[in-house]
């Protein structure tokens, strides 16, 4: 179908009304027939494809049509599908008389008045008493009676205020609303909020499940009524609700709607409701438990003097159980109220602030390491060297678990940085605290000695890397550090494993020689565990006095038992011959002196008559 007349939509004209107006002006028998000629069915909301087709046939931009139809994400409160009239049609008689087109607001269930003419909208014909047909003519009933001939009835202040608010129209009826609502366009979810408030304060039982249209009207108007004469009605409703309920819990006495108010309705236009609610509860709520509002914004507690343990815990940053225990035992000043089997704890804000300030003055070990910029290993070495004083529980204020004073940490950092002496030292000789380790040739037994000299500023840093935090950026002269223990060169040592790999001896044999005192060794701590280490002097003394039978047999390509049988007639007896669980001998030691004597001819003849060992 080609258009006889091309039209442009009015700024406040609905999409449905515009299509009706175009179909009438182009002499279409009905809206359905007009749309069918484009291959489109009449519906409340059209798809993008359908809108594009309509826009092409109407010679318009699709965006001009899209902003006029209901959509779940529409920014216009009038175009939310949930609240659109499904059947029937409402008009303002005076508006339709002036300009015969359908306004966007007339399709909303809560739009009952015209703020331009201060009269009620009408939805039925004064002549036939039938409801208006939304698919009929724009300006007259199906019976032929013009809508403009309907009598205009003056609307109430509340319906005018609500209609003007939703339309975003300036009107004196809006002056009793909250200041932020007296002008401008409301948020798109306004009706949802009004229904949320109305459900809590209607005082009537409602059907389960989805609200009916009548219930929705009652809830929305009840919720809107709380906002008139702001904030008097709102405060009165809260006061009445709290007076008619008992118990310490806010949710039980007020209902859980305030949580949804804080979590879902975040538009700044609703801040006035949140602030009025908090102000009222701050001064009038006589319950003992947490307001729960503080879970959204701690500022909501700014006017309360006595706090619950939960509120105090959030402000301090600790669990409420710790506060309850401290107040109950008298460690912290507070009040304990007993109500039946329940016990409620209150603590004054001044006490809470004192505890909070005390906790800020102390740091945990992890926080200290971050502030110093050192690893856990270096931090432990610094603590062994006496870098910081760890405070005991008796030395700390109440409810303070951290063990280090922040001022001590800052003093240490400043003192070490103050001692920086820039000297001409090659960067290859620079070393940080992390590099003071055995990997760089500094024995474990001397690390604490070096750190103590650094802490006492006997060894001063030669440079500092500014971008590295704490004391990790300090750089020391490695030659100067090694000079601290150059005169005390430690004797090289071997572990049992290293010695076993070096000589091919059994691990258990070496351990047996150590435990029986044949091989001198001592224990050293390595990564917190004690291990046997064999000094070089002990190993040399061992090898100069003893020969391992297994080594001798290996050299002569024989077995230990046959070699021992050949040596026994010469007077050679094992100095140590331990037996395993299976009865075999391992780790047999022979004295070198006995072998030397057996090698002399005169000694061989003396022992030739000795019995041979089995």
């Amino acid at each position: 179908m080609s258009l006889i007349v091309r039209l442009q939509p009015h700024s406040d004209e609905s999409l449905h009304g515009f299509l009706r107006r175009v179909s009438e002006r182009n002499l279409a028998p009905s809206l359905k027939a007009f749309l069918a000629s484009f291959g489109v069915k009449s519906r409340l909301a059209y798809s993008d494809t359908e809108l594009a087709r309509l826009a092409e046939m109407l010679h318009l931009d699709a965006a001009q049509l899209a902003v006029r139809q209901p959509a779940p994400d529409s920014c216009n409160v009038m175009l939310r599908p949930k609240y659109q009239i499904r059947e029937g049609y409402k008009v303002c008689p005076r508006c339709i008389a002036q300009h015969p087109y359908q306004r966007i607001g007339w399709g909303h269930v809560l739009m009952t008045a015209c703020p331009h003419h201060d009269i009620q909208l009408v939805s039925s014909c004064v002549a036939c008493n039938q409801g208006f047909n939304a698919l009929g003519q724009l300006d007259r009933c199906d019976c032929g009676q013009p809508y403009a001939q309907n009598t205009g009835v003056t609307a109430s202040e509340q319906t005018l205020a609500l209609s003007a608010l939703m339309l975003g129209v300036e009107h004196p009826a809006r002056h009793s609303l909250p200041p932020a609502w007296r002008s401008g366009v409301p948020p798109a979810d306004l009706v949802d909020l009004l229904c949320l408030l109305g459900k809590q304060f209607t005082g009537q039982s409602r059907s389960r499940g989805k609200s009916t249209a009548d219930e929705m009207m009652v809830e929305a108007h009840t919720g809107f009524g709380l906002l008139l004469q702001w904030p008097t009605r709102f405060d009165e409703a809260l006061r009445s609700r709290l007076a008619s309920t008992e118990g310490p819990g806010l949710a039980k006495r007020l209902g859980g709607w305030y949580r949804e108010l804080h979590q879902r309705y975040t538009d700044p236009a609703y801040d006035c409701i949140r602030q009025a609610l908090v102000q009222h509860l701050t001064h009038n709520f006589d319950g003992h438990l947490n307001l729960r509002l503080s879970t959204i914004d701690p500022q909501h507690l700014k006017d309360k003097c006595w706090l619950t343990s939960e509120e105090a815990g959030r402000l301090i940053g600790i669990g409420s159980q710790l506060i309850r225990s401290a107040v109950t035992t008298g460690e912290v000043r507070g009040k304990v109220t007993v109500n039946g089997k329940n016990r409620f704890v209150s603590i004054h804000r001044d006490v809470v602030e004192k505890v909070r300030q005390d906790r800020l003055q102390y740091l945990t070990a992890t926080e200290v390491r971050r502030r110093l910029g050192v690893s856990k290993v270096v931090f432990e070495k610094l603590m062994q060297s006496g870098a910081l004083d760890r405070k005991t529980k008796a030395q700390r204020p109440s409810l303070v678990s951290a063990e280090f004073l922040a001022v001590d940490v800052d003093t240490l950092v400043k003192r070490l940085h103050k001692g920086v002496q820039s000297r001409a030292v090659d960067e290859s000789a620079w070393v940080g605290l992390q590099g003071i380790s055995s990997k760089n040739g500094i024995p474990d037994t001397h690390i604490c000695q070096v750190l103590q000299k650094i802490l006492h500023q006997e060894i001063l840093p030669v440079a500092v890397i500014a971008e590295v935090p704490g004391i990790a950026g300090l750089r020391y002269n490695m030659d100067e550090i090694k000079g601290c223990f150059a005169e005390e060169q430690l004797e090289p040592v071997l572990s049992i494993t290293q010695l076993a790999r070096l000589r091919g001896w059994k691990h258990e044999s070496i351990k047996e020689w150590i435990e029986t005192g044949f091989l001198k060794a001592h224990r050293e701590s390595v990564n917190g565990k004690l291990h046997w280490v064999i000094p070089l002097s002990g190993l040399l003394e061992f090898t100069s006095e003893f020969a391992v039978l297994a080594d001798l047999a290996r050299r002569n390509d024989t077995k230990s038992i046959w070699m021992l049988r050949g040596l026994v007639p010469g007077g050679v007896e094992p100095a140590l011959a331990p037996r395993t669980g299976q009865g075999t001998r391992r780790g047999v030691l022979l004295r070198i002196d006995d072998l030397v004597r057996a090698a002399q001819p005169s000694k061989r003849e003396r022992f030739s008559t000795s019995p041979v060992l089995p």
Side-chain angles (χ1 to χ4, degrees):
M1 174 181 181
S2 60
L3 296 180
I4 302 174
V5 179
R6 296 181 185 180
L7 301 177
Q8 290 290 327
H10 296 285
S11 59
D12 60 341
E13 188 174 12
S14 68
L15 176 59
H16 180 74
F18 175 65
L19 294 177
R20 289 175 63 189
R21 187 161 64 93
V22 173
S23 67
E24 287 186 11
R25 295 291 300 275
N26 284 274
L27 306 178
S30 66
L31 176 61
K32 289 185 177 180
F34 177 72
L35 293 176
S37 65
F38 299 151
V40 179
K41 291 184 178 180
S42 177
R43 62 184 78 236
L44 181 64
Y46 299 91
S47 67
D48 293 342
T49 303
E50 292 171 331
L51 284 176
R53 185 180 304 167
L54 287 173
E56 181 182 359
M57 300 303 297
L58 298 174
H59 302 282
L60 296 172
D61 192 319
Q64 289 182 275
L65 304 180
V67 297
R68 302 172 186 282
Q69 74 166 349
D73 58 348
S74 176
C75 297
N76 191 336
V77 66
M78 290 296 189
L79 294 177
R80 291 296 175 98
K82 180 179 180 181
Y83 302 105
Q84 296 297 309
I85 297 175
R86 303 296 176 178
E87 296 180 358
Y89 177 44
K90 291 185 295 185
V91 301
C92 170
R94 296 183 186 177
C95 287
I96 208 73
Q98 294 173 352
H99 301 287
Y101 67 88
Q102 182 179 342
R103 276 66 170 175
I104 289 178
W106 293 351
H108 199 283
V109 293
L110 295 184
M111 187 68 180
T112 58
C114 175
H116 300 289
H117 300 102
D118 294 348
I119 62 174
Q120 295 180 5
L121 301 182
V122 294
S123 58
S124 60
C125 179
V126 68
C128 65
N129 204 30
Q130 297 295 317
F132 297 154
N133 183 6
L135 298 176
Q137 297 185 55
L138 277 170
D139 61 347
R140 62 188 64 248
C141 178
D142 290 341
C143 70
Q145 175 76 9
Y147 295 148
Q149 294 184 7
N150 280 264
T151 304
V153 180
T154 303
S156 65
E157 285 292 314
Q158 180 167 335
T159 57
L160 283 173
L162 178 57
S163 298
L165 173 63
M166 292 195 299
L167 285 175
V169 175
E170 300 287 341
H171 196 279
R174 295 178 66 177
H175 292 170
S176 66
L177 293 171
W181 295 25
R182 293 173 186 174
S183 62
V185 179
D189 56 355
L190 169 67
V191 180
D192 293 333
L193 174 66
L194 297 180
C195 290
L196 174 67
L197 294 175
K199 289 177 184 178
Q200 302 298 322
F201 297 99
T202 54
Q204 301 177 359
S205 59
R206 56 184 292 270
S207 60
R208 294 184 177 181
K210 189 176 181 180
S211 299
T212 64
D214 292 338
E215 289 174 340
M216 190 183 302
M217 288 281 289
V218 172
E219 292 168 355
H221 279 282
T222 301
F224 184 73
L226 299 176
L227 306 178
L228 295 172
Q229 300 177 15
W230 183 260
T232 304
R233 290 189 180 182
F234 187 68
D235 283 340
E236 289 176 353
L238 293 176
R239 188 177 295 108
S240 176
R241 172 60 62 86
L242 293 176
S244 62
T245 55
E246 296 181 356
L250 179 61
K252 181 179 180 181
R253 298 179 60 181
L254 191 62
W257 61 271
Y258 65 89
R259 296 175 184 166
E260 192 171 353
L261 171 65
H262 285 282
Q263 296 171 357
R264 177 180 173 186
Y265 300 96
T266 58
D267 193 283
Y270 304 135
D271 289 345
C272 56
I273 302 178
R274 282 187 281 270
Q275 293 168 1
L277 172 63
V278 171
Q279 185 176 8
H280 180 88
L281 296 177
T282 299
H283 293 93
N284 300 292
F285 180 60
D286 57 356
H288 297 282
L289 292 183
N290 180 21
L291 288 178
R292 300 290 182 187
L293 299 175
S294 58
T295 59
I296 307 299
D297 185 359
Q299 283 295 109
H300 292 156
L301 299 176
K302 62 183 180 181
D303 295 327
K304 289 190 67 180
C305 291
W306 287 92
L307 309 178
T308 65
S309 57
E310 288 82 3
E311 295 166 339
R314 276 190 292 274
L315 290 178
I316 296 173
I318 60 177
S320 59
Q321 183 61 41
L322 293 175
I323 295 179
R324 286 196 292 269
S325 177
V327 173
T328 303
T329 59
E331 182 182 352
V332 173
R333 288 187 297 108
K335 295 193 305 184
V336 180
T337 304
V338 179
N339 184 5
K341 295 183 179 180
N342 298 320
R343 176 176 296 179
F344 306 103
V345 172
S346 300
I347 181 171
H348 199 276
R349 179 177 293 277
D350 293 342
V351 178
V352 172
E353 183 62 22
K354 176 65 167 57
V355 173
R356 194 178 71 85
Q357 292 297 331
D358 288 341
R359 288 175 61 85
L360 291 177
Q361 296 178 13
Y362 283 79
L363 300 175
T364 63
T366 300
E367 293 170 336
V368 172
R369 288 195 289 107
R370 290 174 181 170
R371 188 167 295 193
L372 294 178
V374 299
S375 66
K376 188 174 182 180
V377 174
V378 174
F379 175 70
E380 292 298 330
K381 293 294 184 181
L382 287 171
M383 291 301 300
Q384 294 174 17
S385 304
L388 294 170
D389 181 21
R390 195 187 297 266
K391 303 296 182 181
T392 63
K393 184 177 181 180
Q395 295 173 316
R396 302 192 299 265
S398 300
L399 296 177
V400 175
S401 57
E403 301 173 311
F404 300 93
L405 274 169
V407 65
D408 291 347
V409 179
D410 294 337
T411 300
L412 173 63
V413 174
K414 291 179 181 178
R415 181 163 54 84
L416 293 181
H417 273 267
K418 191 175 180 180
V420 176
Q421 290 186 347
S422 298
R423 286 173 279 169
V425 179
D426 190 270
E427 292 189 14
S428 61
W430 288 5
V431 64
L433 294 178
Q434 191 72 31
I436 302 177
S437 64
S438 57
K439 293 182 180 180
N440 288 330
I442 303 175
D444 290 339
T445 55
H446 283 69
I447 291 178
C448 287
Q449 175 189 347
V450 172
L451 292 178
Q452 286 174 352
K453 289 181 178 292
I454 290 175
L455 295 172
H456 296 153
Q457 294 190 302
E458 297 175 14
I459 299 178
L460 297 175
V462 296
V464 60
I465 301 177
E467 60 270 18
V468 179
I471 60 177
L474 297 175
R475 293 295 179 264
Y476 297 87
N477 188 350
M478 176 60 85
D479 295 334
E480 184 180 358
I481 290 175
K482 289 184 176 181
C484 297
F485 54 89
E487 298 179 357
E488 302 179 12
Q489 292 294 335
L490 294 181
E491 183 180 10
V493 295
L494 294 171
S495 66
I496 294 179
T497 302
Q498 290 172 332
L499 183 56
R501 292 175 180 173
L502 182 65
R503 297 302 304 270
W505 297 335
K506 298 292 185 182
H507 190 282
E508 58 270 20
S509 299
I510 298 174
K511 189 175 181 181
E512 181 74 18
W513 301 339
I514 293 173
E515 291 177 348
T516 53
F518 287 91
L519 178 59
K520 292 181 179 180
H522 60 272
R523 289 181 179 270
E524 282 189 1
S525 177
V526 179
N527 296 328
K529 295 182 179 180
L530 291 176
H531 296 272
W532 284 108
V533 293
I534 301 98
L536 181 59
S537 61
L539 178 60
L540 293 175
E541 183 179 347
F542 174 78
T543 55
S544 65
E545 185 176 357
F546 299 101
V548 180
L549 180 59
D551 290 348
L552 299 178
R554 192 180 305 112
R555 289 181 182 181
N556 290 277
D557 195 22
T558 184
K559 292 187 176 181
S560 299
I561 188 172
W562 301 119
M563 175 161 282
L564 183 58
R565 287 188 176 185
L567 293 173
V568 168
V572 179
E573 295 184 0
L576 176 68
R579 289 181 180 272
T580 65
Q582 289 77 25
T584 59
R585 290 185 173 91
R586 285 185 179 175
V588 178
L589 297 180
L590 303 176
R591 295 186 184 276
I592 295 177
D593 292 344
D594 292 345
L595 293 175
V596 173
R597 283 195 298 269
Q600 298 177 13
S602 58
K603 302 295 183 183
R604 277 202 311 271
E605 294 175 357
R606 183 186 305 174
F607 293 101
S608 60
T609 57
S610 300
V612 179
L613 292 177

